[in-house]
Amino acid sequence: LASKASEKDLVLGCAIAPDVPREITGDPSRLRQVLLNLLGNAIKFTERGHVLLTLTRRGEGDTCRLHMSIEDTGIGIAHDHLSDLFRDFSQIDSSISRRFGGTGLGLAISRKLILRMGGTIGVQSDLGKGSTFYFEVPLKGFVEPEPLVKEMAALALVCANEFERALIANQAALAYSEVAAFATYVAAQEWLRA
């Protein structure tokens, strides 16, 4: 998927909350199939901007769930079409299916897989602004993650793309006691001299 995103000059990012277990018991092939479908759709329907996968943990103990969301800055979907998205052979608009391809089965299959795992799946979208597809599945047989220790003092980060800069800075803040993010090398050099 990274090569497809790169061909379109899209930022493909991933953010994982620190309390998400590193190991869980589940069905990796089903989760992979759902993720590949949702990420593939996000890349397919996004011409510019970003696609972001976010993993968070919801709840505690027996009610603990893994929440995954795929946010894009793509074409978006009109609110009156959202309820049809997860039906078999559902295509919102014939012109879109001609332009982007697809059979209308990917989301229906994803929904069935998530439901079989005891989870839920949904979407939020605004036409012309992008979409966020999300799902939650129960976490079973997981090992609590070790608390993160910030072993490194400071990081000066330089990245021209504002979205990428914020994404990297947020993840780096988990390991560094201080993260300073800049759009240019000149701004970073001025900070380092201060």
Side-chain angles (χ1 to χ4, degrees), residues 105-139:
L105 283 173
L107 292 176
I109 292 169
S110 293
R111 179 180 177 274
K112 289 174 184 172
L113 292 173
I114 293 298
L115 292 176
R116 284 190 183 137
M117 289 186 275
T120 58
I121 188 167
V123 60
Q124 296 173 331
S125 187
D126 288 312
L127 188 61
K129 294 183 180 178
S131 302
T132 300
F133 284 82
Y134 56 89
F135 64 91
E136 281 189 15
V137 293
L139 281 175

Side-chain angles (χ1 to χ4, degrees), residues 31-193:
L31 280 176
R32 185 180 305 108
Q33 185 176 354
V34 172
L35 280 173
L36 288 175
N37 179 59
L38 296 178
L39 286 166
N41 282 351
I43 293 167
K44 178 173 30 172
F45 293 109
T46 302
E47 295 299 322
R48 60 179 149 19
H50 70 267
V51 173
L52 174 64
L53 168 63
T54 304
L55 284 75
T56 56
R57 177 178 170 169
R58 304 262 171 104
E60 295 295 327
D62 292 342
T63 62
C64 192
R65 299 173 73 76
L66 180 63
H67 180 90
M68 297 188 198
S69 66
I70 295 89
E71 168 193 301
D72 66 57
T73 53
I75 62 174
I77 305 159
H79 291 270
D80 55 331
H81 292 296
L82 293 178
S83 61
D84 297 330
L85 278 179
F86 295 99
R87 289 195 343 224
D88 292 352
F89 302 105
S90 176
Q91 294 280 350
I92 300 288
D93 180 331
S94 61
S95 66
I96 290 175
S97 62
R98 282 192 303 273
R99 180 176 168 200
F100 293 102
T103 61
L105 283 173
L107 292 176
I109 292 169
S110 293
R111 179 180 177 274
K112 289 174 184 172
L113 292 173
I114 293 298
L115 292 176
R116 284 190 183 137
M117 289 186 275
T120 58
I121 188 167
V123 60
Q124 296 173 331
S125 187
D126 288 312
L127 188 61
K129 294 183 180 178
S131 302
T132 300
F133 284 82
Y134 56 89
F135 64 91
E136 281 189 15
V137 293
L139 281 175
K140 298 175 185 168
F142 62 91
V143 177
E144 289 289 346
E146 294 291 323
L148 290 174
V149 178
K150 295 185 179 189
E151 296 179 3
M152 296 174 227
L155 171 70
L157 167 69
V158 178
C159 182
N161 182 291
E162 183 179 359
F163 178 80
E164 283 180 294
R165 188 169 56 248
L167 179 65
I168 295 168
N170 284 336
Q171 290 297 118
L174 299 173
Y176 290 87
S177 59
E178 180 181 5
V179 176
F182 304 97
T184 67
Y185 291 108
V186 172
Q189 288 173 333
E190 289 173 7
W191 177 77
L192 289 169
R193 287 187 197 122

